[in-house]
Amino acid sequence: MMRESWTRGAAPWRRAGEPWPPRHRQFVTNRRARAWFFRRLAFAAVALFLITVSSMFAAAWLIAGRIGTAGGAAALGVLILVFCAVAVAVAVFGGMRRIGSPLHAVMDAADRVAGGDYSVRVNEYGPPPMRALAHSFNTMTERLQHADRLRRDVMADVAHELRTPLTVLQGRLEGLIDGVYARDDRQLGELLEETRVMSRLIEDLRTLALSDAGALPLQKEPVDLVQLVQDTVRSMQPEADRRSVSLIANASISAAVADLDSLRIREVLANLLSNALQHSTAGSSVTVAVSETSRAVTVIVCDAGGGMAPEEVAQMFDRFYKGPGSRGSGLGLAIARSIVTAHGGDIKASSELGKGTSVEFTLPRL
């Protein structure tokens, strides 16, 4: 009874939070499992060799007895069959070695990945199936390494983005308590605005987390996307007037009904228009065009700003990526992509230095 409870529970000398069984025991167990696997493989090869030799000996004696050949001829036939059996055995052993060596390398590398080392790669050699296995393993570890690096970067970026409004709040509150700042409505309004900045950032992070988990809530209904674009353009008109930028909505169709969450898609449009206005110079224009095909509706937002380099375009939908002059959190376009993807659509961008930027997203029709 005591033995059973000891094996099922944690050892009394184990520190709190230490994994059980220990990592070194898991490593030893994995090595023993691999050794057992290759021993069985070698045993199967030896058994195949013995069965092949025995079968050929039996076939030689049967043939000699059937046709009544002389003993010398029968012996020659046996020698030829033995030679063939040895050749077959050598080929089998060579094939198993060609398979076993790259397989052993992949298994060793898998142990290192299980221990948290995502930089490991294996050489792609051996038969085509083994090369394909090694290539798939390298692709998997590369993606794991990228995901781990992205996770670390996101944690650092979140801490940085939250630190700024928190520092402002802390400094202002300390100043109010010490009497440095007057306790009036203006000071309270600025503090309230900082709390709103934090709330927006937290809500953006929540939206991205739900999207990654495939649980982003969408209240879909038939919506006229042309009308939605016109309404969003009207709501953004004051900001366009303040920047002296012309905001134009063009539609080659009178209506385009799609099954979508109007609030989420309006958020996407507002984000794209805000970015376009921010990067447009006074006197330029921003256009929003709507078109359709038999299966999808497409919205294109174009500005006449300074444009972006190809490497910037490749990163513009990444989380916390900020282009030159950007004052946001770097989450807007990442959220726009997650919302469009959740609707079963696609979003992409094109840009050229000195000629502006275009962002296009497509949604399936109703």
Side-chain angles (χ1 to χ4, degrees):
M1 193 70 179
M2 291 181 62
R3 178 188 177 103
E4 182 180 359
S5 63
W6 182 85
T7 56
R8 291 186 180 180
W13 59 83
R14 182 169 63 90
R15 295 189 299 271
E18 183 180 356
W20 185 262
R23 291 188 181 274
H24 71 275
R25 175 175 291 186
Q26 294 177 3
F27 180 73
V28 171
T29 303
N30 291 338
R31 290 191 60 182
R32 288 176 178 173
R34 285 201 303 275
W36 175 84
F37 171 77
F38 285 107
R39 281 199 300 268
R40 295 292 294 271
L41 192 63
F43 175 78
V46 172
L48 179 62
F49 170 72
L50 293 177
I51 292 172
T52 303
V53 172
S54 301
S55 300
M56 288 188 172
F57 266 113
W61 286 114
L62 286 174
I63 291 172
R66 283 272 192 181
I67 64 177
T69 55
L76 179 62
V78 170
L79 290 176
I80 293 174
L81 291 177
V82 170
F83 176 78
C84 293
V86 172
V88 170
V90 170
V92 169
F93 275 111
M96 289 188 173
R97 183 176 181 180
R98 291 183 63 202
I99 294 175
S101 180
L103 184 60
H104 189 275
V106 171
M107 295 172 74
D108 280 338
D111 280 341
R112 293 176 60 184
V113 172
D117 181 9
Y118 301 127
S119 63
V120 62
R121 302 292 186 271
V122 295
N123 294 327
E124 300 177 14
Y125 68 99
M130 292 296 101
R131 292 200 300 269
L133 174 63
H135 179 74
S136 298
F137 179 85
N138 289 336
T139 302
M140 178 194 69
T141 53
E142 183 177 355
R143 291 180 178 177
L144 286 173
Q145 187 178 25
H146 176 71
D148 183 65
R149 183 170 61 251
L150 182 62
R151 176 183 62 83
R152 297 173 187 272
D153 293 343
V154 166
M155 294 296 292
D157 291 334
V158 168
H160 173 74
E161 292 295 334
L162 288 174
R163 184 185 298 116
T164 301
L166 279 174
T167 302
V168 173
L169 280 173
Q170 183 179 356
R172 289 292 184 88
L173 290 172
E174 289 176 353
L176 288 173
I177 293 174
D178 296 338
V180 177
Y181 301 116
R183 301 186 183 184
D184 53 19
D185 292 342
R186 185 179 67 84
Q187 294 292 337
L188 293 177
E190 292 177 356
L191 292 176
L192 180 60
E193 183 60 28
E194 292 298 329
T195 63
R196 288 171 178 165
V197 170
M198 293 182 60
S199 296
R200 285 196 297 268
L201 177 59
I202 292 172
E203 183 61 28
D204 289 346
L205 292 171
R206 178 177 176 272
T207 300
L208 288 173
L210 290 173
S211 177
D212 289 343
L216 184 64
L218 297 176
Q219 304 296 328
K220 289 186 177 183
E221 59 182 355
V223 176
D224 182 2
L225 194 54
V226 174
Q227 185 64 44
L228 182 62
V229 167
Q230 293 173 350
D231 293 342
T232 309
V233 167
R234 279 195 294 269
S235 68
M236 300 293 293
Q237 192 63 52
E239 182 179 353
D241 294 339
R242 183 173 59 84
R243 295 177 178 271
S244 300
V245 176
S246 299
L247 188 54
I248 305 169
N250 292 327
S252 59
I253 50 178
S254 59
V257 180
D259 191 25
L260 51 86
D261 186 327
S262 58
L263 292 178
R264 294 289 188 183
I265 298 302
R266 188 186 183 97
E267 181 181 354
V268 172
L269 288 168
N271 183 276
L272 298 182
L273 289 173
S274 178
N275 284 342
L277 291 173
Q278 180 180 346
H279 293 89
S280 297
T281 57
S284 63
S285 62
V286 172
T287 60
V288 187
V290 184
S291 60
E292 68 174 348
T293 63
S294 59
R295 295 185 177 182
V297 183
T298 301
V299 179
I300 304 177
V301 178
C302 302
D303 65 62
M308 294 185 294
E311 56 272 15
E312 294 176 333
V313 176
Q315 302 177 68
M316 64 182 295
F317 292 105
D318 293 345
R319 300 174 186 182
F320 295 104
Y321 175 76
K322 297 181 182 181
S326 177
R327 293 174 295 175
S329 63
L331 293 175
L333 290 176
I335 291 175
R337 180 177 61 179
S338 67
I339 291 175
V340 172
T341 303
H343 279 82
D346 186 31
I347 186 170
K348 58 184 179 180
S350 60
S351 183
E352 188 175 350
L353 289 174
K355 295 186 178 180
T357 302
S358 298
V359 180
E360 170 185 333
F361 69 89
T362 303
L363 299 173
R365 292 194 60 178
L366 182 63

